[in-house]
Amino acid sequence: MTFERLHDEPIVSVLMSSYNHATFLSQAIQSIVKQTYKNFEFIICDDGSDDGSVEIAKKWAAIDTRIVLIVKENGGQASGFNTAFKKCRGDVICFVDADDVYHPNKLERVVGAFFQFPLAGCVLNRLMRVDERLRTRGPLPLMGTLPTGWCSGKMLASGGILPYFPGTPGINLRREVAARLFPMPESEPLNMCPDMVMQRLVPLVTRLAAIDQPLVDIRMHCANTYMRSSLSVQSITKELKLCEELWNAQHQFLSAFQPDLGAKLRPVDVNLGIRIQRYARARLAGQTTSSVLREVLDGAGEKPRGLARTFWSMSALLPLWAFQFAANVLLTQGRAKQWLSWLEGVYRPSEHTRHERVEEARA
């Protein structure tokens, strides 16, 4: 996609789909109201809350005219964002969950990045994981860097998965991109994870730019959708099923443009992460794992290399408790990985925005 230049002070629409987060809602709203960038509208869609959330949002809307409140019956997070998007009028679209906290300069940094990289229709920003009391639990991604540039070829070749793409409050879109994606699917299970749908579709239509600093605190608590604090057969099965549904959504999205375009999306089985999770599930279930492990090491698609290959090759020899501990370190966002991230120096706060300069030069 190509884009016209933004106005000097573009309208930013911040969309929230809120459901029964009264405990955190006021703090989330306050973090938007106090943004250093002032030309925004804040569309809150309450998705059938029954815990007092509506009353809290009404009080804020009465104080600040930039806040628009929509109340509807429960239909899932995607339906809330769909309703909010229909109402918004911004040139830039940002997202926030009702338990998130924007850093004061979030919108200012995002708008600046869109001016800096006019070819990008999506700006990503890191997130900071916090607990219910806002105590830091490490940035996202913990290990790795946000994707930048034109990534569709990489996605198609890897079964439709692009690593290190952030969740909802780390995704910021030009309106033209959002209009291509919305409405989000409202059927289960995708109605509960519109951020994952965006993760799979955005890189297929536009270049990406990235802000290395965390600009939003995201709370990790028991009510988080699809939060996985430890591995189990059930949690892995749930995630693999969701990955299949997301792949189907990608395939339909591509095929709607051109029938043979969907055929370029390789099966999700080629993705190394998917193969590893299937092996971990088999091991945790006490099943025979030799054939599943061969798929990890030598199956179609990317293969583990270096220390990773050594670990997975030897993992069948580990007792179950040791395997479970190691797999949790590698495949979840726990404390051990936070320390690994710190030791490797992957997370270094930066005052600049990244993009693949070669894309700018070619354009």
Side-chain angles (χ1 to χ4, degrees):
M1 299 181 66
T2 57
F3 310 97
E4 295 183 1
R5 188 182 185 279
L6 287 170
H7 300 295
D8 290 341
E9 195 173 324
I11 299 172
V12 178
S13 294
V14 181
L15 310 186
M16 173 187 284
S17 180
S18 173
Y19 177 68
N20 281 354
H21 275 333
T23 303
F24 309 120
L25 181 58
S26 189
Q27 191 172 30
I29 295 174
Q30 186 178 41
S31 74
I32 307 300
V33 170
K34 291 190 173 182
Q35 286 295 297
T36 56
Y37 186 84
K38 303 302 182 183
N39 193 24
F40 67 85
E41 60 176 5
F42 185 16
I43 314 294
I44 303 173
C45 180
D46 186 274
D47 191 38
S49 296
D50 57 10
D51 67 342
S53 293
V54 173
E55 289 68 26
I56 293 172
K58 282 182 177 178
K59 289 179 181 178
W60 279 100
I63 296 172
D64 195 318
T65 58
R66 295 172 297 182
I67 300 175
V68 177
L69 174 62
I70 305 169
V71 180
K72 72 176 192 65
E73 295 182 356
N74 182 258
Q77 189 181 37
S79 70
F81 279 134
N82 288 340
T83 302
F85 181 69
K86 290 178 183 177
K87 185 73 174 179
C88 78
R89 56 192 177 89
D91 307 297
V92 173
I93 312 297
C94 301
F95 305 91
V96 63
D97 294 329
D99 52 354
D100 294 335
V101 177
Y102 269 28
H103 295 189
N105 64 342
K106 149 87 174 183
L107 298 185
E108 182 180 353
R109 292 293 305 275
V110 167
V111 170
F114 277 118
F115 278 114
Q116 186 178 1
F117 302 108
L119 297 181
C122 175
V123 169
L124 305 176
N125 61 262
R126 283 185 183 267
L127 306 172
M128 182 61 72
R129 298 163 67 249
V130 299
D131 65 13
E132 294 189 24
R133 298 181 183 180
L134 297 181
R135 293 175 296 192
T136 299
R137 291 293 179 261
L140 281 180
L142 274 171
M143 308 286 286
T145 57
L146 298 171
T148 57
W150 179 238
C151 301
S152 66
K154 186 186 301 183
M155 284 195 77
L156 293 172
S158 65
I161 297 175
L162 186 63
Y164 309 122
F165 206 105
T168 314
I171 302 172
N172 312 280
L173 305 175
R174 287 286 299 253
R175 185 177 189 86
E176 299 91 327
V177 174
R180 185 74 66 87
L181 305 181
F182 278 80
M184 294 282 110
E186 295 189 12
S187 57
E188 293 184 355
L190 300 186
N191 63 327
M192 298 306 296
C193 53
D195 57 338
M196 296 185 185
V197 177
M198 285 188 268
Q199 290 170 359
R200 303 302 180 93
L201 299 185
V202 168
L204 298 176
V205 299
T206 186
R207 294 174 176 88
L208 310 174
I211 300 172
D212 284 328
Q213 281 186 313
L215 297 180
V216 184
D217 293 336
I218 58 169
R219 279 189 173 91
M220 311 305 294
H221 53 85
C222 59
N224 288 138
T225 303
Y226 290 102
M227 186 185 75
R228 186 173 71 175
S229 57
S230 63
L231 292 178
S232 67
V233 173
Q234 293 75 17
S235 69
I236 296 174
T237 298
K238 182 178 180 180
E239 184 155 331
L240 290 175
K241 175 62 176 175
L242 181 59
C243 285
E244 291 177 5
E245 294 290 342
L246 290 165
W247 187 93
N248 290 334
Q250 285 176 299
H251 189 270
Q252 293 171 10
F253 183 78
L254 290 166
S255 299
F257 286 113
Q258 192 174 331
D260 63 345
L261 204 55
K264 295 184 178 182
L265 178 63
R266 297 194 68 188
V268 72
D269 296 351
V270 306
N271 187 271
L272 177 59
I274 296 296
R275 304 199 314 269
I276 286 174
Q277 292 208 63
R278 288 179 177 167
Y279 166 63
R281 180 177 62 178
R283 183 73 203 279
L284 294 175
Q287 299 171 355
T288 302
T289 59
S290 56
S291 62
V292 192
L293 180 55
R294 282 198 299 272
E295 282 296 313
V296 170
L297 299 174
D298 299 309
E302 182 186 1
K303 297 171 179 57
R305 299 178 180 178
L307 291 176
R309 186 174 184 87
T310 301
F311 168 77
W312 292 115
S313 298
M314 302 296 293
S315 64
L317 303 177
L318 294 174
L320 183 58
W321 67 267
F323 175 84
Q324 189 163 16
F325 174 81
N328 269 287
V329 171
L330 294 171
L331 303 179
T332 67
Q333 305 294 327
R335 293 287 185 89
K337 185 173 284 186
Q338 292 176 40
W339 281 105
L340 286 174
S341 173
W342 180 79
L343 289 171
E344 289 200 0
V346 171
Y347 171 57
R348 295 185 177 92
S350 172
E351 288 299 328
H352 66 278
T353 307
R354 294 188 299 106
H355 192 67
E356 289 188 0
R357 301 286 182 176
V358 64
E359 297 288 351
E360 297 282 348
R362 286 175 179 171

